[in-house]
Short mmCIF file of all heavy atoms in Angstrom, two decimals:
data_model
loop_
_atom_site.label_atom_id
_atom_site.label_comp_id
_atom_site.label_asym_id
_atom_site.label_seq_id
_atom_site.Cartn_x
_atom_site.Cartn_y
_atom_site.Cartn_z
N ASN A 114 -11.73 -24.46 1.71
CA ASN A 114 -12.71 -23.67 2.49
C ASN A 114 -12.12 -22.45 3.09
O ASN A 114 -12.83 -21.55 3.42
CB ASN A 114 -13.35 -24.57 3.51
CG ASN A 114 -14.26 -25.64 2.91
OD1 ASN A 114 -14.73 -25.54 1.84
ND2 ASN A 114 -14.45 -26.76 3.70
N LEU A 115 -10.84 -22.49 3.30
CA LEU A 115 -10.16 -21.25 3.86
C LEU A 115 -9.55 -20.46 2.80
O LEU A 115 -8.70 -20.98 2.03
CB LEU A 115 -9.17 -21.72 4.91
CG LEU A 115 -8.43 -20.63 5.62
CD1 LEU A 115 -9.45 -19.88 6.52
CD2 LEU A 115 -7.32 -21.16 6.43
N VAL A 116 -9.98 -19.26 2.62
CA VAL A 116 -9.46 -18.44 1.53
C VAL A 116 -8.72 -17.22 2.18
O VAL A 116 -9.15 -16.74 3.24
CB VAL A 116 -10.59 -17.91 0.59
CG1 VAL A 116 -11.19 -19.08 -0.14
CG2 VAL A 116 -11.66 -17.14 1.41
N LYS A 117 -7.66 -16.89 1.56
CA LYS A 117 -6.86 -15.76 2.11
C LYS A 117 -7.01 -14.59 1.11
O LYS A 117 -7.19 -14.73 -0.11
CB LYS A 117 -5.39 -16.14 2.17
CG LYS A 117 -5.22 -17.24 3.21
CD LYS A 117 -3.68 -17.64 3.41
CE LYS A 117 -3.53 -18.72 4.38
NZ LYS A 117 -3.95 -18.32 5.73
N GLY A 118 -7.04 -13.41 1.76
CA GLY A 118 -7.28 -12.22 0.91
C GLY A 118 -6.26 -11.11 1.26
O GLY A 118 -5.19 -11.36 1.77
N SER A 119 -6.67 -9.89 1.01
CA SER A 119 -5.89 -8.77 1.18
C SER A 119 -5.64 -8.33 2.62
O SER A 119 -6.52 -8.72 3.39
CB SER A 119 -6.42 -7.50 0.41
OG SER A 119 -6.69 -7.82 -0.93
N TYR A 120 -4.61 -7.69 2.96
CA TYR A 120 -4.32 -7.14 4.22
C TYR A 120 -4.33 -8.15 5.43
O TYR A 120 -4.52 -7.81 6.58
CB TYR A 120 -5.34 -6.01 4.56
CG TYR A 120 -5.48 -5.04 3.39
CD1 TYR A 120 -6.78 -4.84 2.83
CD2 TYR A 120 -4.39 -4.31 2.89
CE1 TYR A 120 -6.89 -4.00 1.78
CE2 TYR A 120 -4.61 -3.45 1.86
CZ TYR A 120 -5.90 -3.26 1.33
OH TYR A 120 -5.99 -2.39 0.26
N GLY A 121 -4.06 -9.35 5.16
CA GLY A 121 -3.99 -10.39 6.07
C GLY A 121 -5.26 -10.97 6.51
O GLY A 121 -5.34 -11.79 7.43
N PHE A 122 -6.40 -10.66 5.86
CA PHE A 122 -7.73 -11.20 6.14
C PHE A 122 -7.81 -12.51 5.46
O PHE A 122 -7.24 -12.87 4.47
CB PHE A 122 -8.80 -10.36 5.65
CG PHE A 122 -9.05 -9.13 6.50
CD1 PHE A 122 -8.32 -7.95 6.19
CD2 PHE A 122 -9.82 -9.20 7.63
CE1 PHE A 122 -8.54 -6.78 7.04
CE2 PHE A 122 -9.97 -8.07 8.44
CZ PHE A 122 -9.41 -6.93 8.14
N GLU A 123 -8.64 -13.44 6.14
CA GLU A 123 -9.06 -14.71 5.58
C GLU A 123 -10.43 -14.99 5.97
O GLU A 123 -11.07 -14.31 6.84
CB GLU A 123 -8.09 -15.80 6.07
CG GLU A 123 -8.04 -15.93 7.62
CD GLU A 123 -6.93 -16.84 8.04
OE1 GLU A 123 -5.92 -17.00 7.42
OE2 GLU A 123 -7.11 -17.44 9.20
N ALA A 124 -11.07 -15.91 5.25
CA ALA A 124 -12.41 -16.29 5.57
C ALA A 124 -12.57 -17.82 5.41
O ALA A 124 -12.01 -18.36 4.56
CB ALA A 124 -13.42 -15.54 4.67
N GLU A 125 -13.48 -18.34 6.22
CA GLU A 125 -13.68 -19.79 6.23
C GLU A 125 -15.15 -20.11 5.70
O GLU A 125 -16.09 -19.67 6.25
CB GLU A 125 -13.46 -20.33 7.58
CG GLU A 125 -13.54 -21.97 7.55
CD GLU A 125 -12.98 -22.55 8.73
OE1 GLU A 125 -12.79 -21.81 9.77
OE2 GLU A 125 -12.80 -23.75 8.79
N PHE A 126 -15.23 -20.81 4.69
CA PHE A 126 -16.50 -21.26 4.10
C PHE A 126 -16.91 -22.52 4.77
O PHE A 126 -16.17 -23.52 4.89
CB PHE A 126 -16.43 -21.43 2.54
CG PHE A 126 -17.54 -22.11 1.92
CD1 PHE A 126 -18.75 -21.43 1.86
CD2 PHE A 126 -17.49 -23.44 1.40
CE1 PHE A 126 -19.91 -22.01 1.31
CE2 PHE A 126 -18.65 -23.98 0.85
CZ PHE A 126 -19.80 -23.25 0.79
N ASN A 127 -18.10 -22.50 5.38
CA ASN A 127 -18.69 -23.67 5.98
C ASN A 127 -20.05 -23.94 5.43
O ASN A 127 -21.02 -23.30 5.66
CB ASN A 127 -18.76 -23.40 7.49
CG ASN A 127 -19.16 -24.64 8.25
OD1 ASN A 127 -20.09 -25.39 7.85
ND2 ASN A 127 -18.53 -24.91 9.36
N LYS A 128 -20.06 -24.97 4.54
CA LYS A 128 -21.39 -25.27 3.84
C LYS A 128 -22.45 -25.75 4.72
O LYS A 128 -23.62 -25.37 4.53
CB LYS A 128 -21.02 -26.32 2.75
CG LYS A 128 -22.18 -26.51 1.83
CD LYS A 128 -21.89 -27.44 0.63
CE LYS A 128 -23.04 -27.58 -0.33
NZ LYS A 128 -22.66 -28.54 -1.51
N SER A 129 -22.07 -26.63 5.71
CA SER A 129 -23.17 -27.06 6.49
C SER A 129 -23.77 -26.04 7.45
O SER A 129 -25.01 -26.12 7.77
CB SER A 129 -22.53 -28.25 7.49
OG SER A 129 -21.56 -27.68 8.35
N GLN A 130 -23.00 -25.04 7.88
CA GLN A 130 -23.52 -23.96 8.58
C GLN A 130 -23.92 -22.73 7.71
O GLN A 130 -24.35 -21.67 8.25
CB GLN A 130 -22.52 -23.56 9.64
CG GLN A 130 -22.25 -24.62 10.61
CD GLN A 130 -21.36 -24.16 11.76
OE1 GLN A 130 -20.95 -23.00 11.84
NE2 GLN A 130 -20.96 -25.09 12.65
N THR A 131 -23.78 -22.80 6.42
CA THR A 131 -23.95 -21.74 5.49
C THR A 131 -23.31 -20.42 5.95
O THR A 131 -24.04 -19.41 6.09
CB THR A 131 -25.34 -21.57 5.18
OG1 THR A 131 -26.18 -21.20 6.32
CG2 THR A 131 -26.05 -22.83 4.54
N SER A 132 -22.03 -20.59 6.39
CA SER A 132 -21.43 -19.37 6.91
C SER A 132 -20.11 -19.04 6.14
O SER A 132 -19.54 -19.92 5.50
CB SER A 132 -21.06 -19.55 8.42
OG SER A 132 -20.14 -20.61 8.59
N PHE A 133 -19.69 -17.80 6.17
CA PHE A 133 -18.46 -17.31 5.60
C PHE A 133 -17.89 -16.27 6.44
O PHE A 133 -17.89 -15.07 6.04
CB PHE A 133 -18.90 -16.87 4.15
CG PHE A 133 -17.60 -16.63 3.34
CD1 PHE A 133 -16.62 -17.54 3.14
CD2 PHE A 133 -17.45 -15.32 2.67
CE1 PHE A 133 -15.53 -17.32 2.30
CE2 PHE A 133 -16.34 -15.09 1.86
CZ PHE A 133 -15.41 -16.11 1.68
N HIS A 134 -17.43 -16.62 7.60
CA HIS A 134 -16.97 -15.64 8.59
C HIS A 134 -15.58 -15.09 8.16
O HIS A 134 -14.63 -15.87 7.73
CB HIS A 134 -16.79 -16.24 10.01
CG HIS A 134 -18.08 -16.81 10.55
ND1 HIS A 134 -19.32 -16.26 10.10
CD2 HIS A 134 -18.39 -17.80 11.33
CE1 HIS A 134 -20.28 -16.93 10.78
NE2 HIS A 134 -19.72 -17.85 11.50
N LEU A 135 -15.42 -13.82 8.36
CA LEU A 135 -14.12 -13.15 8.11
C LEU A 135 -13.30 -13.09 9.31
O LEU A 135 -13.77 -12.85 10.40
CB LEU A 135 -14.40 -11.67 7.61
CG LEU A 135 -13.23 -10.80 7.19
CD1 LEU A 135 -12.59 -11.33 5.98
CD2 LEU A 135 -13.65 -9.35 7.14
N LYS A 136 -11.94 -13.45 9.16
CA LYS A 136 -11.14 -13.46 10.27
C LYS A 136 -9.75 -12.82 9.94
O LYS A 136 -9.39 -12.63 8.84
CB LYS A 136 -10.84 -14.96 10.63
CG LYS A 136 -12.13 -15.76 10.98
CD LYS A 136 -11.82 -17.15 11.40
CE LYS A 136 -13.14 -17.83 11.72
NZ LYS A 136 -12.87 -19.30 12.15
#
Side-chain angles (χ1 to χ4, degrees):
Chain A
N114 290 340
L115 184 66
V116 293
K117 295 184 183 296
S119 306
Y120 313 119
F122 284 94
E123 57 189 30
E125 186 166 13
F126 172 67
N127 188 317
K128 188 173 183 178
S129 63
Q130 297 185 3
T131 61
S132 68
F133 189 56
H134 302 330
L135 181 70
K136 300 181 180 183

